[in-house]
Structures are given as C-alpha cells and as structure tokens.
Amino acid sequence: LIKIPNPPNRFLADPFIWQKNGIHYCFVEDFHYSKNKGCISVFKITRDNYEEVEVVLEENFHLSYPFLFNYKNDLYMCPETHEAEEIRLYKCIEFPNKWEYLKTIMLNVSAVDTNIFEKNGRWWLITNICSGDLKDHSSELHIFSSDNPISTEWKPNKQNPVIFDPLIGRNGGLIIDNEEVYRVRQKQGFNLYGEALEVAKIIKLSDEEYKEEKIFKVEPKFFSGINGTHTYNYKNGLLTIDYLK
C-alpha cells in the first residue's frame, strides 16, 4: 500500500496506470492552486515507494483525466480538455515525459472524462457531454464509434445519451480484462462531487444499443476520515484510487 500525498498548494486526482519495462507509472491530474488549473504529471511506482517524475503535459487551459491507450505500437493520451471545447489526442514521443499534441478528434463539444478502447473490431469513445448551459458533466453518457481511434469521424450511438442519470453517468476510469470491458462510474452525493464509485461490466455495445451491469461498489471507507472517491483504475497488477479527505 502506497499513499501519495498532495504536494504543497496542489492536489492530485484521476490516477491512470501504464506499465513499461516492468515498471508502473501513474499519470494524474495535478491541480495547481496558484494557476487555478490542472496539468498532467507522472509518478514512477515501485513495490514500496514512489518517485515524482515531472509535469509531462501542460496547456493554457485545464487538463485532467489522463486516459491512455495504445494503437499500432504508439501510446496516446486523451486528457479532459473541455475548457478548449474539444476532445484532443496527444502522442507520446518519449516515455513517460514527452508528449505532443496530435489532433482534435471532436470540435465544439463540452466533453469530459473520455475513455477510448477497442472491442468487437471497432474503436469506441465513451464520454460525458454537457448538452445544455448548466455546465453539468455528470448526467449524460455518450458513445461514438470509429474504425480507428485517431479518426475525426466518429459515429454517434442512436440512443445517445445512452445514460441520462446524474448518479451514475460520469466516467471514473476504465478497466479492460482480456475481452471484457468495465466502466468505472462515479456515484455523486448530495452536494458532494465524487462521493463513491461503482464498477459496471459493459454487456451490450453497438451503434444501436448500450447496456452495462453493476458488479460492485467502492465507498470511501478504505481509509479513516475520508469523504469521497471518484477514480479507480487497474492495470498489470497495480490498482490505483483517489480519495477526498
């Protein structure tokens, strides 16, 4: 068990794991109060300790939720960039600390916490879109598909939003286990963003339908004195979770 404390005048959230050469790296939202925005930082994780590497991606707008995926032997990141009103991709030039903006795959969209993955011969993009003016990104879950993940042509699911529920709509991670895909979904509390989370198995996925089934719930009871948790990821033997204290 390793706890990574918040650095002075910053907080860390949205942990995502990648493994390279047998070493785990944890990419996180790194929010700087002095700048009033987040960037993406990475930590090197060993069996009983951690080492902060550095800030690996920063823009003049807020970044969080550093979702990672591999495509044709290249590593890509799709961070949350809703302040730019785009869904963007960044390509890893030198792991883990050098990333370059590749392209915008969706324009003029207020979307957060995007997951991109391959299943059934198609690539799927699952994201939370705010369709109105309320700046609510927790209610609507939208799904799109394409023949490759770096395309700018994404086909919307006919049922979009496939989930319209502020209690379970928002993404909190993605777990792929062989052929099975599990969406982590946030459980919002009364006047509390990210009170708990659930892991749901995706059991139907096509351009016409979507269905998921709750597998288990994680409540903020794993440490004493904590009030919430909203991001949960697992990869190659390492589980990461954030919490609010």
Side-chain angles (χ1 to χ4, degrees):
L1 176 65
I2 299 173
K3 288 185 181 181
I4 301 178
N6 288 330
N9 301 312
R10 294 151 60 191
F11 74 77
L12 309 176
D14 299 350
F16 282 82
I17 296 297
W18 200 260
Q19 187 183 46
K20 189 175 180 68
N21 299 326
I23 300 172
H24 286 102
Y25 295 83
C26 183
F27 292 80
V28 298
E29 172 194 352
D30 186 351
F31 188 92
H32 292 239
Y33 288 105
S34 62
K35 300 178 181 179
N36 196 33
K37 68 180 177 70
C39 57
I40 306 302
S41 291
V42 64
F43 290 78
K44 183 178 178 180
I45 309 296
T46 58
R47 179 174 294 274
D48 54 5
N49 210 339
Y50 69 91
E51 173 190 343
E52 182 175 1
V53 179
E54 60 183 309
V55 172
V56 298
L57 185 61
E58 185 170 10
E59 295 281 14
N60 59 6
F61 48 81
H62 176 73
L63 298 175
S64 63
Y65 202 84
F67 185 85
L68 303 165
F69 68 93
N70 192 68
Y71 176 61
K72 292 187 175 180
N73 296 318
D74 286 315
L75 180 61
Y76 297 88
M77 183 190 298
C78 182
E80 183 261 293
T81 57
H82 89 273
E83 287 187 359
E85 296 189 338
E86 299 176 354
I87 298 179
R88 291 179 157 213
L89 291 184
Y90 295 80
K91 186 176 181 180
C92 186
I93 306 303
E94 183 179 320
F95 188 86
N97 56 352
K98 188 174 181 182
W99 298 77
E100 288 185 356
Y101 168 71
L102 178 69
K103 64 165 58 173
T104 295
I105 58 175
M106 281 195 192
L107 277 167
N108 303 318
V109 60
S110 183
V112 304
D113 300 355
T114 300
N115 299 326
I116 300 175
F117 61 95
E118 185 179 19
K119 186 172 175 62
N120 301 330
R122 294 280 288 171
W123 282 87
W124 304 90
L125 185 153
I126 299 184
T127 193
N128 297 116
I129 292 176
C130 178
S131 297
D133 299 324
L134 299 177
K135 296 183 179 180
D136 170 27
H137 292 97
S138 294
S139 298
E140 299 180 37
L141 185 72
H142 291 247
I143 296 180
F144 303 82
S145 73
S146 182
D147 58 359
N148 76 82
I150 60 175
S151 171
T152 56
E153 301 293 327
W154 289 89
K155 180 179 180 181
N157 188 288
K158 290 185 177 179
Q159 294 184 352
N160 276 345
V162 295
I163 292 177
F164 200 147
D165 186 340
L167 296 180
I168 61 170
R170 186 145 178 173
N171 290 326
L174 188 81
I175 299 171
I176 299 176
D177 183 16
N178 294 320
E179 296 299 313
E180 306 297 344
V181 181
Y182 301 83
R183 184 177 79 94
V184 182
R185 59 194 196 188
Q186 298 182 22
K187 293 289 291 180
Q188 311 301 350
F190 179 73
N191 203 30
L192 177 61
Y193 166 68
E195 180 181 67
L197 55 86
E198 294 177 344
V199 175
K201 182 179 180 180
I202 296 176
I203 56 178
K204 287 186 179 180
L205 180 63
S206 70
D207 289 325
E208 289 76 35
E209 61 181 343
Y210 176 80
K211 186 176 181 181
E212 63 183 30
E213 184 177 79
K214 174 185 168 183
I215 303 299
F216 62 87
K217 183 178 181 179
V218 178
E219 296 184 288
K221 298 178 179 179
F222 45 89
F223 297 136
S224 62
I226 64 174
N227 302 312
T229 178
H230 79 300
T231 308
Y232 179 100
N233 282 293
Y234 175 86
K235 194 174 189 68
N236 298 114
L238 183 63
L239 171 68
T240 60
I241 189 167
D242 58 9
Y243 61 91
L244 173 67
K245 192 170 184 177

